[in-house]
PDB file of all heavy atoms in Angstrom:
ATOM      1  N   LEU Q 111      -7.486  -2.131 -14.699  1.00  0.00           N
ATOM      2  CA  LEU Q 111      -6.796  -1.498 -13.580  1.00  0.00           C
ATOM      3  C   LEU Q 111      -7.424  -0.113 -13.399  1.00  0.00           C
ATOM      4  O   LEU Q 111      -7.266   0.787 -14.223  1.00  0.00           O
ATOM      5  CB  LEU Q 111      -5.262  -1.408 -13.929  1.00  0.00           C
ATOM      6  CG  LEU Q 111      -4.571  -2.747 -14.158  1.00  0.00           C
ATOM      7  CD1 LEU Q 111      -3.133  -2.475 -14.672  1.00  0.00           C
ATOM      8  CD2 LEU Q 111      -4.555  -3.501 -12.866  1.00  0.00           C
ATOM      9  N   LYS Q 112      -8.117  -0.032 -12.264  1.00  0.00           N
ATOM     10  CA  LYS Q 112      -9.011   1.133 -12.043  1.00  0.00           C
ATOM     11  C   LYS Q 112      -8.285   2.173 -11.213  1.00  0.00           C
ATOM     12  O   LYS Q 112      -7.786   1.869 -10.115  1.00  0.00           O
ATOM     13  CB  LYS Q 112     -10.284   0.624 -11.315  1.00  0.00           C
ATOM     14  CG  LYS Q 112     -11.338   1.730 -11.153  1.00  0.00           C
ATOM     15  CD  LYS Q 112     -12.702   1.170 -11.022  1.00  0.00           C
ATOM     16  CE  LYS Q 112     -13.725   2.220 -10.851  1.00  0.00           C
ATOM     17  NZ  LYS Q 112     -13.734   3.182 -11.959  1.00  0.00           N
ATOM     18  N   ALA Q 113      -8.344   3.353 -11.636  1.00  0.00           N
ATOM     19  CA  ALA Q 113      -7.865   4.543 -10.905  1.00  0.00           C
ATOM     20  C   ALA Q 113      -8.835   4.872  -9.849  1.00  0.00           C
ATOM     21  O   ALA Q 113     -10.071   4.670  -9.973  1.00  0.00           O
ATOM     22  CB  ALA Q 113      -7.609   5.732 -11.899  1.00  0.00           C
ATOM     23  N   ALA Q 114      -8.319   5.503  -8.781  1.00  0.00           N
ATOM     24  CA  ALA Q 114      -9.189   5.904  -7.613  1.00  0.00           C
ATOM     25  C   ALA Q 114      -9.187   7.493  -7.652  1.00  0.00           C
ATOM     26  O   ALA Q 114      -9.081   8.099  -6.618  1.00  0.00           O
ATOM     27  CB  ALA Q 114      -8.702   5.401  -6.307  1.00  0.00           C
ATOM     28  N   ASN Q 115      -9.369   8.025  -8.843  1.00  0.00           N
ATOM     29  CA  ASN Q 115      -9.430   9.456  -9.064  1.00  0.00           C
ATOM     30  C   ASN Q 115     -10.094   9.651 -10.485  1.00  0.00           C
ATOM     31  O   ASN Q 115      -9.554   9.166 -11.480  1.00  0.00           O
ATOM     32  CB  ASN Q 115      -7.992  10.110  -9.008  1.00  0.00           C
ATOM     33  CG  ASN Q 115      -8.043  11.556  -9.261  1.00  0.00           C
ATOM     34  OD1 ASN Q 115      -8.916  12.157  -9.803  1.00  0.00           O
ATOM     35  ND2 ASN Q 115      -6.946  12.161  -8.776  1.00  0.00           N
ATOM     36  N   PRO Q 116     -11.217  10.318 -10.467  1.00  0.00           N
ATOM     37  CA  PRO Q 116     -11.961  10.426 -11.753  1.00  0.00           C
ATOM     38  C   PRO Q 116     -11.187  11.240 -12.845  1.00  0.00           C
ATOM     39  O   PRO Q 116     -11.534  11.144 -14.025  1.00  0.00           O
ATOM     40  CB  PRO Q 116     -13.257  11.150 -11.370  1.00  0.00           C
ATOM     41  CG  PRO Q 116     -12.967  11.834 -10.060  1.00  0.00           C
ATOM     42  CD  PRO Q 116     -11.890  11.017  -9.407  1.00  0.00           C
ATOM     43  N   ASP Q 117     -10.124  11.926 -12.456  1.00  0.00           N
ATOM     44  CA  ASP Q 117      -9.328  12.618 -13.450  1.00  0.00           C
ATOM     45  C   ASP Q 117      -8.370  11.721 -14.196  1.00  0.00           C
ATOM     46  O   ASP Q 117      -7.702  12.234 -15.154  1.00  0.00           O
ATOM     47  CB  ASP Q 117      -8.539  13.753 -12.740  1.00  0.00           C
ATOM     48  CG  ASP Q 117      -9.413  14.810 -12.171  1.00  0.00           C
ATOM     49  OD1 ASP Q 117     -10.566  14.949 -12.633  1.00  0.00           O
ATOM     50  OD2 ASP Q 117      -9.018  15.473 -11.194  1.00  0.00           O
ATOM     51  N   TYR Q 118      -8.249  10.503 -13.807  1.00  0.00           N
ATOM     52  CA  TYR Q 118      -7.324   9.598 -14.435  1.00  0.00           C
ATOM     53  C   TYR Q 118      -8.062   8.420 -15.143  1.00  0.00           C
ATOM     54  O   TYR Q 118      -9.000   7.905 -14.491  1.00  0.00           O
ATOM     55  CB  TYR Q 118      -6.293   9.027 -13.400  1.00  0.00           C
ATOM     56  CG  TYR Q 118      -5.328  10.010 -12.972  1.00  0.00           C
ATOM     57  CD1 TYR Q 118      -5.707  10.964 -11.959  1.00  0.00           C
ATOM     58  CD2 TYR Q 118      -4.061  10.104 -13.473  1.00  0.00           C
ATOM     59  CE1 TYR Q 118      -4.799  11.904 -11.538  1.00  0.00           C
ATOM     60  CE2 TYR Q 118      -3.191  11.040 -13.072  1.00  0.00           C
ATOM     61  CZ  TYR Q 118      -3.492  11.916 -12.137  1.00  0.00           C
ATOM     62  OH  TYR Q 118      -2.582  12.895 -11.640  1.00  0.00           O
ATOM     63  N   PRO Q 119      -7.614   8.008 -16.272  1.00  0.00           N
ATOM     64  CA  PRO Q 119      -8.323   6.922 -16.953  1.00  0.00           C
ATOM     65  C   PRO Q 119      -7.925   5.532 -16.326  1.00  0.00           C
ATOM     66  O   PRO Q 119      -6.872   5.383 -15.752  1.00  0.00           O
ATOM     67  CB  PRO Q 119      -7.743   6.936 -18.380  1.00  0.00           C
ATOM     68  CG  PRO Q 119      -6.433   7.517 -18.259  1.00  0.00           C
ATOM     69  CD  PRO Q 119      -6.495   8.526 -17.064  1.00  0.00           C
ATOM     70  N   ASP Q 120      -8.897   4.585 -16.459  1.00  0.00           N
ATOM     71  CA  ASP Q 120      -8.637   3.204 -16.082  1.00  0.00           C
ATOM     72  C   ASP Q 120      -7.720   2.593 -17.174  1.00  0.00           C
ATOM     73  O   ASP Q 120      -7.642   3.129 -18.269  1.00  0.00           O
ATOM     74  CB  ASP Q 120      -9.885   2.379 -16.031  1.00  0.00           C
ATOM     75  CG  ASP Q 120     -10.796   2.929 -14.846  1.00  0.00           C
ATOM     76  OD1 ASP Q 120     -10.302   3.617 -14.015  1.00  0.00           O
ATOM     77  OD2 ASP Q 120     -12.008   2.560 -14.967  1.00  0.00           O
ATOM     78  N   ILE Q 121      -7.048   1.531 -16.878  1.00  0.00           N
ATOM     79  CA  ILE Q 121      -6.189   0.836 -17.864  1.00  0.00           C
ATOM     80  C   ILE Q 121      -6.885  -0.484 -18.156  1.00  0.00           C
ATOM     81  O   ILE Q 121      -7.079  -1.286 -17.303  1.00  0.00           O
ATOM     82  CB  ILE Q 121      -4.761   0.575 -17.369  1.00  0.00           C
ATOM     83  CG1 ILE Q 121      -4.117   1.908 -17.061  1.00  0.00           C
ATOM     84  CG2 ILE Q 121      -4.026  -0.228 -18.282  1.00  0.00           C
ATOM     85  CD1 ILE Q 121      -2.768   1.790 -16.284  1.00  0.00           C
ATOM     86  N   VAL Q 122      -7.296  -0.634 -19.437  1.00  0.00           N
ATOM     87  CA  VAL Q 122      -7.842  -1.929 -19.958  1.00  0.00           C
ATOM     88  C   VAL Q 122      -6.841  -2.358 -20.998  1.00  0.00           C
ATOM     89  O   VAL Q 122      -6.682  -1.763 -22.024  1.00  0.00           O
ATOM     90  CB  VAL Q 122      -9.307  -1.724 -20.584  1.00  0.00           C
ATOM     91  CG1 VAL Q 122      -9.798  -3.024 -21.059  1.00  0.00           C
ATOM     92  CG2 VAL Q 122     -10.230  -1.076 -19.586  1.00  0.00           C
ATOM     93  N   PRO Q 123      -6.105  -3.478 -20.684  1.00  0.00           N
ATOM     94  CA  PRO Q 123      -5.058  -3.929 -21.549  1.00  0.00           C
ATOM     95  C   PRO Q 123      -5.571  -4.170 -22.955  1.00  0.00           C
ATOM     96  O   PRO Q 123      -6.646  -4.724 -23.177  1.00  0.00           O
ATOM     97  CB  PRO Q 123      -4.532  -5.231 -20.914  1.00  0.00           C
ATOM     98  CG  PRO Q 123      -4.918  -5.134 -19.525  1.00  0.00           C
ATOM     99  CD  PRO Q 123      -6.195  -4.308 -19.470  1.00  0.00           C
ATOM    100  N   LYS Q 124      -4.800  -3.720 -23.910  1.00  0.00           N
ATOM    101  CA  LYS Q 124      -5.119  -3.945 -25.320  1.00  0.00           C
ATOM    102  C   LYS Q 124      -4.304  -5.068 -25.867  1.00  0.00           C
ATOM    103  O   LYS Q 124      -3.276  -5.512 -25.222  1.00  0.00           O
ATOM    104  CB  LYS Q 124      -4.777  -2.648 -26.091  1.00  0.00           C
ATOM    105  CG  LYS Q 124      -5.574  -1.430 -25.664  1.00  0.00           C
ATOM    106  CD  LYS Q 124      -4.991  -0.160 -26.342  1.00  0.00           C
ATOM    107  CE  LYS Q 124      -5.781   1.112 -25.945  1.00  0.00           C
ATOM    108  NZ  LYS Q 124      -5.834   1.340 -24.516  1.00  0.00           N
ATOM    109  N   ASP Q 125      -4.662  -5.578 -27.079  1.00  0.00           N
ATOM    110  CA  ASP Q 125      -3.914  -6.713 -27.665  1.00  0.00           C
ATOM    111  C   ASP Q 125      -2.446  -6.239 -27.836  1.00  0.00           C
ATOM    112  O   ASP Q 125      -2.188  -5.134 -28.282  1.00  0.00           O
ATOM    113  CB  ASP Q 125      -4.501  -7.020 -29.064  1.00  0.00           C
ATOM    114  CG  ASP Q 125      -5.827  -7.784 -28.968  1.00  0.00           C
ATOM    115  OD1 ASP Q 125      -6.101  -8.382 -27.885  1.00  0.00           O
ATOM    116  OD2 ASP Q 125      -6.519  -7.823 -29.933  1.00  0.00           O
ATOM    117  N   GLY Q 126      -1.506  -7.154 -27.448  1.00  0.00           N
ATOM    118  CA  GLY Q 126      -0.103  -6.858 -27.574  1.00  0.00           C
ATOM    119  C   GLY Q 126       0.476  -6.136 -26.370  1.00  0.00           C
ATOM    120  O   GLY Q 126       1.695  -5.987 -26.308  1.00  0.00           O
ATOM    121  N   GLN Q 127      -0.339  -5.610 -25.513  1.00  0.00           N
ATOM    122  CA  GLN Q 127       0.147  -4.844 -24.330  1.00  0.00           C
ATOM    123  C   GLN Q 127       0.528  -5.850 -23.192  1.00  0.00           C
ATOM    124  O   GLN Q 127      -0.245  -6.821 -23.016  1.00  0.00           O
ATOM    125  CB  GLN Q 127      -0.869  -3.917 -23.847  1.00  0.00           C
ATOM    126  CG  GLN Q 127      -0.420  -2.897 -22.817  1.00  0.00           C
ATOM    127  CD  GLN Q 127      -1.450  -1.817 -22.602  1.00  0.00           C
ATOM    128  OE1 GLN Q 127      -2.643  -2.009 -22.603  1.00  0.00           O
ATOM    129  NE2 GLN Q 127      -0.942  -0.604 -22.295  1.00  0.00           N
ATOM    130  N   THR Q 128       1.649  -5.708 -22.578  1.00  0.00           N
ATOM    131  CA  THR Q 128       2.012  -6.596 -21.514  1.00  0.00           C
ATOM    132  C   THR Q 128       1.601  -5.985 -20.156  1.00  0.00           C
ATOM    133  O   THR Q 128       1.928  -4.837 -19.837  1.00  0.00           O
ATOM    134  CB  THR Q 128       3.533  -6.911 -21.506  1.00  0.00           C
ATOM    135  OG1 THR Q 128       4.231  -5.717 -21.372  1.00  0.00           O
ATOM    136  CG2 THR Q 128       3.947  -7.586 -22.808  1.00  0.00           C
ATOM    137  N   VAL Q 129       0.908  -6.819 -19.367  1.00  0.00           N
ATOM    138  CA  VAL Q 129       0.520  -6.431 -18.067  1.00  0.00           C
ATOM    139  C   VAL Q 129       0.809  -7.519 -17.093  1.00  0.00           C
ATOM    140  O   VAL Q 129       0.398  -8.699 -17.352  1.00  0.00           O
ATOM    141  CB  VAL Q 129      -0.991  -6.084 -17.963  1.00  0.00           C
ATOM    142  CG1 VAL Q 129      -1.375  -5.715 -16.577  1.00  0.00           C
ATOM    143  CG2 VAL Q 129      -1.325  -4.921 -18.963  1.00  0.00           C
TER     144      VAL Q 129
END
Side-chain angles (χ1 to χ4, degrees):
L111 298 171
K112 186 157 181 56
N115 180 338
D117 295 336
Y118 288 80
D120 297 341
I121 298 170
V122 179
K124 298 172 181 54
D125 286 341
Q127 192 170 33
T128 59
V129 177

